[in-house]
Amino acid sequence: MFPWNMFPFNKNLRDTLQKMKPEEIEKYVQDLLEKMMPNMQGMMNPNDVFQQFQPSDSNSHSSAIRINASTYETHDHVYIRIPINNHDALKKLRLYHTSNQLIIEHFPEYGEKHTITLPAIVKKKGGEANLKDGILEIRIPKNIDMQYTEIDVTEKW
């Protein structure tokens, strides 16, 4: 449960904040955050806090090099498009997928590994990859999982 007796807002807070200067408000908020979350004192710089929540362009795990992959889905398929500048890299490239991830190995350099989370669950078989105009397009059929189970609701006293 939330500790309501420690809640920092009271009836006079509005009047107090209106009389404060912007610097005083910032200091008040910083003090408040330090009191409410003492174990997060290293994160009190607002720039550091917001940098942690910035989205990344691709879901790269083992590499500092990022690939510029885009994913989208239609009614029947999931598409992943990756620009490829070096056709020699295509010879070493290996593609694998699970039901919700695409794994790209040896791209753009040998030994690199990238994992892209797919926007929908896909089937095990039927995926295709084609290169056209410097774009590698991977198409994987979506899996329509219509299996669902009803859960009984019981009332207990």
Side-chain angles (χ1 to χ4, degrees):
M1 294 297 288
F2 190 80
W4 292 107
N5 58 345
M6 292 178 54
F7 201 64
F9 306 111
N10 57 29
K11 297 175 186 176
N12 300 327
L13 181 66
R14 180 176 172 215
D15 296 332
T16 306
L17 289 177
Q18 285 180 343
K19 295 176 186 175
M20 294 176 92
K21 295 179 184 175
E23 298 85 24
E24 293 173 339
I25 293 174
E26 184 175 343
K27 184 180 182 322
Y28 175 78
V29 170
Q30 293 295 330
D31 292 341
L32 180 70
L33 286 173
E34 287 176 10
K35 289 176 185 174
M36 295 302 288
M37 298 177 273
N39 59 344
M40 299 178 74
Q41 296 210 0
M43 292 178 32
M44 288 303 132
N45 183 357
N47 294 331
D48 294 342
V49 173
F50 292 119
Q51 283 178 348
Q52 292 180 358
F53 298 105
Q54 295 296 324
S56 62
D57 293 336
S58 68
N59 299 323
S60 173
H61 286 289
S62 65
S63 171
I65 299 173
R66 291 196 171 140
I67 57 172
N68 189 15
S70 60
T71 61
Y72 60 95
E73 64 179 301
T74 62
H75 290 294
D76 299 324
H77 296 89
V78 171
Y79 291 88
I80 304 96
R81 299 186 77 183
I82 304 168
I84 296 196
N85 299 329
N86 183 3
H87 290 281
D88 294 333
L90 193 62
K91 295 175 185 175
K92 299 178 283 182
L93 176 76
R94 296 288 177 254
L95 297 172
Y96 307 96
H97 74 86
T98 64
S99 61
N100 69 336
Q101 291 182 333
L102 176 72
I103 297 111
I104 304 167
E105 288 186 350
H106 309 305
F107 180 78
E109 299 293 328
Y110 189 82
E112 300 283 331
K113 182 178 178 181
H114 301 274
T115 304
I116 298 171
T117 303
L118 302 176
I121 303 297
V122 295
K123 293 181 179 180
K124 288 182 180 182
K125 303 279 184 183
E128 296 178 353
N130 296 310
L131 181 68
K132 183 177 179 183
D133 298 331
I135 303 288
L136 177 65
E137 183 177 84
I138 303 149
R139 182 181 76 168
I140 308 171
K142 288 171 68 173
N143 190 5
I144 314 300
D145 188 12
M146 297 301 288
Q147 298 178 14
Y148 58 91
T149 305
E150 182 179 357
I151 300 172
D152 292 331
V153 178
T154 58
E155 186 175 348
K156 293 186 178 182
W157 289 97

